[in-house]
Amino acid sequence: MCGIVGFVGTNKVKDVLLDGLKELEYRGYDSAGIAVLQDKEFSSYKAVGKLDNLVQKVADFDPKGFAIGIGHTRWATHGKPTELNAHPHLGDASYVVHNGIIENYQEIKNELMAEGTHFLSQTDTEVIVHLFEKYLATEATPFEAFQKTLAKLEGAYAILLATKSMPDTIFFAKNGSPMIVGVNDEGEKVFASSDAPLIGHAKDVIYLGDGEYGFVSPTALELFDKRHQRVKPSLTPLPTSKLSAQKEGYRFFMEKEIYEQSDVISDAMLGRLQDESINFDELDPTLFDGINEIKLCACGTSYHSALASSYLFERYAKVRTSVEIASELRYKEPLLLKDTLFVVISQSGETADTLETLKMAKAAGLKTLVICNVDNSSMVRLADASILTRAGIEKGVASTKAFATQMTVFWMLALYVSQLRNTLSIEKIKDQIHALREVPNSVKIDDNLHEKIRRLSKRYLHGHGFFFIGRDVFFPLALEGALKLKEITYLHAEGYPSGEMKHGPIAMADPELFTIALMPKGLLYDKTKSNVEELSARDSTICAISPVTFDKADDFIQTKEHGHYMLEFFEMMVVLQLLSMEISVRLGNDVDMPRNLAKSVTVE
Ligand code: AGP
C-alpha cells in the first residue's frame, strides 16, 4: 500500500508533491521519491527511510514556473527498500510511479530483457515505464502507447507517468488501487492516493473507478473507461479536514482498517494464488528441505494467528507444528533442533521478545522465516527468508488487518508446504484455493451487521467478565476476540476452548458472566453447541455467533453459510473486531490509542 501524488501547474510543484507525500506517509514510508519535468528536462530525487530524508535531498531544488511532477512513498512488496527500488522509476525519457502489484511483471520483464532492456530495480513497477517506451517507438501517439501498456498489465495498479514526449501531460490509470484527481479554478491538476494531499490544492475531485485511465494537461482532463469509451468526469467537492481525510470518513483508524481488510487480503493474495497452486516468489522451496517440524513464535495477536495456523499446517501439510509465546520461549532453555523451521510472526518486525527468539534460533543453527508487515524491519533483515503480509500501515494499536493478512498468508503457506510434501491432491488444493478466493468477500461488512453489533454492544458494558469460546481454529480466534476487547474496552475477557469450560470455568456461570460463543456450522458445530447449552442451562448470558439459529442464546449474531470453515473464521473475526470497537466507543475510550499500550513493544 504505497502513496502516490502528482501535479500539473505553476510555481507549486515541489511543495504540492512533498506536502502530499507527508500526508500519505501513513500509507508507507520505507522510501520515497519525486520526478519533476520542466522545460523538457527531468529532475528526480529518491531517498530510503523516512520522508524527511527526501526533503533534505531536495532542499536546494526550487523549480519556478510551469512544471509537472509525480511523487511516491513506498511500502515494499517486491524488492527491498533501497534507492534503486524507490519510485519514480526511469525509462529513457519517462518516469512512472505505481501503487499495487503487477501480477505478470516477471513475464513482461523477461520479454523486455530478451529484447535488450536493462532493468535497474527489483520492482514490478519498472516494467511499466520500459513497456511504455517500447510502445512509444511503435504507436502513433504517447497516449496510444500508454493505452497499449495498460492492456498488457495484469493485477492492481494506480499509475502516474510523465514523459518528455508530452512535457505538459501526466498519464494516469486506476485499477484496484485508489487514485483521486483534483481540479481547481486555475486549471491545475492534482493526483493522490487519498483525499488528504489534495486539500488546499483542489476544489473538486474525481474518485476514479477501476479500469479508468486518461491524461491531464493545463488545458485538458481526458477520462476513459475500461471499454475505452470517453467518460465525462463527475466532480465531487473535496472534504476540508486533513485528519478526517486520512481516516477517509471513518471515525477511527481501527474502523478504517477493519473495513480495509477485504482490499488488503486481496493484496496479500496477489501473485501468490494461482489456479491450481500456491506460489511464493520470495521463497526458495529448499527452505523446507529436511524439515520435520515447524515452530511458530510470536506475541499477542501475532501469537493468535500462529496458533490458528498450527491447525492448518498439521491438517493440510501433515507437518508437526508447535507454537510458542516469545517471552516464554526466551527463558525456558528450549529444545531447538536443526530439523525445525523456526517461523516468527510480527506486524512490526520489531517486537523485542520475538526478535530475541529469532536470534536464539539462528544461533542454534535453525533455518528461519519471518511473516511480517514491514519490509525494512529488524526481523526481516535477520531471518533467512521473509513473507510480507502487505497490510499497509496499521495505525490502530489494536491489530486488525495485520491479523487478517497473517491468517491469509498462513492459510496459503500451509497449502504451499502441503504441495512440497505432496499431502493433498490437486483437487483438494483447488478446493482450498477456491475457498481462499472468497476470503475478501467474507470480510466485507454490510451496514445491517455493523448496525446490529452497534445496538447490541450497549448490553455488554458491565458484568464480571467475558468468556470468548471456540473449538479448533476458533479457539485462537476466541483468544484474539478476548484480546481485542481487553485492549480497547479495558473489560476483563478470556478466550477459552469450548470443551474446557466444564473443567472449572463453568463454576462462574451466572447472568453477569457474558459468553461470546463462536459456533461455526462447518466445524464441530454439534460439539460446540452442547458446550454452549451447558452454559445456557446455568443462566450465563450468551451471545452466539453462528450461521445456524440458536435459540438458547440471549443475543444472536447471524453469520453467513460458507463452503469452508475458514471463511466462517474470517467473517467471525470481523464480528469480534466490530463488537470490541463498538463497546469501546460506548465506554468513551480512545479506540485508536488505548491506555498503557504501544503499537510496537520494542522493550522486554
Ligand atoms: C495486538 O492487538 C496488540 N497490539 C499486540 O498484542 C501485538 O499483536 C503484539 O505486541 C505483537 O506485535 P507484532 O505483531 O508487531 O510483533
Side-chain angles (χ1 to χ4, degrees):
M1 178 190 276
C2 307
I4 284 182
V5 290
F7 181 70
V8 174
T10 303
N11 286 338
K12 295 192 295 188
V13 65
K14 175 182 169 183
D15 291 344
V16 172
L17 294 182
L18 293 182
D19 293 351
L21 291 178
K22 193 73 192 151
E23 290 301 328
L24 293 171
E25 215 172 3
Y26 73 91
R27 293 178 65 84
Y29 51 67
D30 58 47
S31 55
I34 62 171
V36 173
L37 179 52
Q38 186 174 47
D39 304 329
K40 295 199 174 186
E41 287 307 322
F42 271 113
S43 307
S44 178
Y45 302 85
K46 299 182 183 184
V48 175
K50 296 283 187 190
L51 186 60
D52 286 346
N53 299 342
L54 178 66
V55 172
Q56 285 163 31
K57 268 197 171 182
V58 301
D60 299 332
F61 174 58
D62 186 17
K64 290 296 180 209
F66 174 78
I68 69 172
I70 57 178
H72 184 273
T73 183
R74 185 166 183 253
W75 187 265
T77 56
H78 286 80
K80 292 292 178 198
T82 61
E83 272 197 35
L84 274 183
N85 287 335
H87 303 209
H89 286 291
L90 169 66
D92 292 326
S94 315
Y95 275 95
V96 69
V97 292
H98 159 238
N99 176 25
I101 291 174
I102 306 299
E103 287 195 75
N104 61 335
Y105 85 95
Q106 196 60 62
E107 173 197 328
I108 298 173
K109 184 167 183 174
N110 294 342
E111 281 172 22
L112 290 168
M113 287 171 71
E115 294 161 6
T117 300
H118 176 62
F119 281 80
L120 287 176
S121 81
Q122 304 160 305
T123 67
D124 53 336
T125 301
E126 193 181 350
V127 302
I128 300 170
V129 70
H130 293 308
L131 204 53
F132 170 74
E133 292 193 336
K134 171 182 171 182
Y135 293 137
L136 263 186
T138 60
E139 304 310 299
T141 67
F143 182 55
E144 286 167 274
F146 186 64
Q147 283 181 304
K148 194 162 182 178
T149 301
L150 297 179
K152 187 92 175 171
L153 303 181
E154 294 170 15
Y157 50 76
I159 294 169
L160 294 178
L161 186 144
T163 176
K164 284 182 181 176
S165 320
M166 286 183 78
D168 65 347
T169 297
I170 290 182
F171 296 101
F172 64 87
K174 190 263 185 213
N175 190 49
S177 298
M179 173 87 88
I180 304 170
V181 192
V183 297
N184 61 26
D185 298 336
E186 292 73 42
E188 295 172 338
K189 310 299 189 298
V190 200
F191 291 89
S193 307
S194 63
D195 288 333
L198 303 172
I199 292 170
H201 302 297
K203 187 158 72 69
D204 296 303
V205 293
I206 302 156
Y207 294 94
L208 294 174
D210 283 348
E212 291 187 337
Y213 66 95
F215 61 89
V216 297
S217 70
T219 56
L221 194 170
E222 297 294 336
L223 182 60
F224 298 82
D225 65 17
K226 55 185 141 190
R227 287 176 295 281
H228 311 300
Q229 302 301 312
R230 195 183 296 276
V231 176
K232 183 177 177 345
S234 64
L235 297 177
T236 308
L238 188 62
T240 51
S241 145
K242 290 200 174 186
L243 186 60
S244 71
Q246 274 200 9
K247 291 177 191 161
E248 295 175 14
Y250 294 101
R251 294 168 292 173
F252 315 105
F253 280 111
M254 181 181 179
E255 185 174 44
K256 174 173 167 282
E257 287 152 10
I258 292 170
Y259 274 79
E260 263 176 357
Q261 289 180 136
S262 184
D263 290 341
V264 297
I265 285 171
S266 297
D267 287 350
M269 294 198 286
L270 273 175
R272 293 165 171 166
L273 222 48
Q274 320 292 322
D275 289 340
E276 299 191 353
S277 65
I278 303 290
N279 170 55
F280 282 100
D281 277 340
E282 58 271 65
L283 290 187
D284 178 340
T286 59
L287 178 72
F288 297 87
D289 288 358
I291 294 299
N292 297 312
E293 177 178 350
I294 292 177
K295 187 175 282 290
L296 307 165
C297 186
C299 300
T301 285
S302 297
Y303 168 72
H304 297 152
S305 69
L307 190 57
S309 73
S310 65
Y311 291 80
L312 306 180
F313 280 113
E314 296 211 342
R315 182 166 293 145
Y316 298 130
K318 302 301 178 209
V319 58
R320 188 170 56 250
T321 305
S322 55
V323 192
E324 305 277 358
I325 290 173
S327 56
E328 286 297 302
L329 185 74
R330 282 185 72 180
Y331 303 104
K332 71 180 213 183
E333 296 165 39
L335 191 57
L336 297 174
L337 303 175
K338 288 199 171 65
D339 70 344
T340 298
L341 175 66
F342 194 83
V343 183
V344 290
I345 304 90
S346 176
Q347 188 286 129
S348 62
E350 301 298 345
T351 300
D353 285 322
T354 311
L355 180 58
E356 287 310 311
T357 62
L358 178 57
K359 291 174 185 171
M360 287 167 63
K362 285 187 73 76
L366 276 67
K367 289 195 265 187
T368 58
L369 168 66
V370 58
I371 293 175
C372 188
N373 194 35
V374 182
D375 195 0
N376 55 351
S377 61
S378 303
M379 288 183 218
V380 168
R381 285 199 298 272
L382 190 61
D384 298 321
S386 59
I387 299 177
L388 296 180
T389 49
R390 303 173 183 166
I393 298 263
E394 185 176 67
K395 291 179 78 80
V397 167
S399 185
T400 50
K401 62 176 184 171
F403 176 76
T405 52
Q406 286 170 355
M407 284 310 305
T408 305
V409 166
F410 267 132
W411 188 0
M412 292 191 287
L413 187 59
L415 298 174
Y416 178 82
V417 178
S418 81
Q419 288 168 181
L420 297 178
R421 299 167 65 92
N422 294 315
T423 53
L424 285 181
S425 68
I426 280 278
E427 287 316 307
K428 286 201 179 335
I429 294 270
K430 284 166 71 175
D431 290 344
Q432 296 286 333
I433 289 172
H434 179 73
L436 265 161
R437 289 195 192 286
E438 286 306 308
V439 177
N441 278 332
S442 70
V443 299
K444 281 194 173 131
I445 303 162
D446 67 58
D447 293 343
N448 299 333
L449 174 70
H450 194 162
E451 177 54 20
K452 175 174 179 68
I453 292 170
R454 195 192 64 75
R455 279 202 320 277
L456 177 148
S457 63
K458 61 178 170 290
R459 300 187 192 158
Y460 295 97
L461 305 179
H462 51 83
H464 60 64
F466 290 74
F467 271 100
F468 288 68
I469 63 173
R471 278 180 178 267
D472 201 275
V473 293
F474 293 86
F475 162 47
L477 183 58
L479 291 172
E480 174 58 13
L483 178 61
K484 290 282 93 54
L485 191 80
K486 284 182 276 199
E487 285 191 281
I488 61 178
T489 72
Y490 318 146
L491 296 174
H492 180 67
E494 200 168 345
Y496 227 83
S498 304
E500 272 293 287
M501 291 301 284
K502 54 185 173 297
H503 298 287
I506 201 165
M508 297 173 66
D510 65 25
E512 290 303 295
L513 178 78
F514 300 142
T515 299
I516 311 295
L518 305 180
M519 303 173 70
K521 180 179 183 184
L523 192 69
L524 301 169
Y525 177 79
D526 292 336
K527 294 289 183 193
T528 307
K529 180 169 176 276
S530 58
N531 297 147
V532 181
E533 284 168 340
E534 289 157 10
L535 283 158
S536 169
R538 291 161 178 81
D539 213 14
S540 174
T541 297
I542 291 166
C543 173
I545 304 173
S546 179
V548 183
T549 305
F550 181 65
D551 56 12
K552 292 192 173 64
D554 304 272
D555 280 310
F556 178 69
I557 298 174
Q558 176 103 40
T559 48
K560 298 185 183 72
E561 297 214 12
H562 292 282
H564 195 294
Y565 65 87
M566 280 305 292
L567 297 175
E568 294 192 76
F569 178 101
F570 279 99
E571 185 179 5
M572 290 187 186
M573 169 194 75
V574 174
V575 172
L576 298 179
Q577 291 166 344
L578 292 174
L579 180 61
S580 297
M581 186 183 73
E582 292 302 342
I583 293 173
S584 178
V585 171
R586 286 185 183 276
L587 294 171
N589 292 353
D590 184 334
V591 170
D592 284 330
M593 297 178 72
R595 69 185 185 195
N596 310 337
L597 297 182
K599 183 57 188 169
S600 179
V601 183
T602 55
V603 294
E604 276 209 41

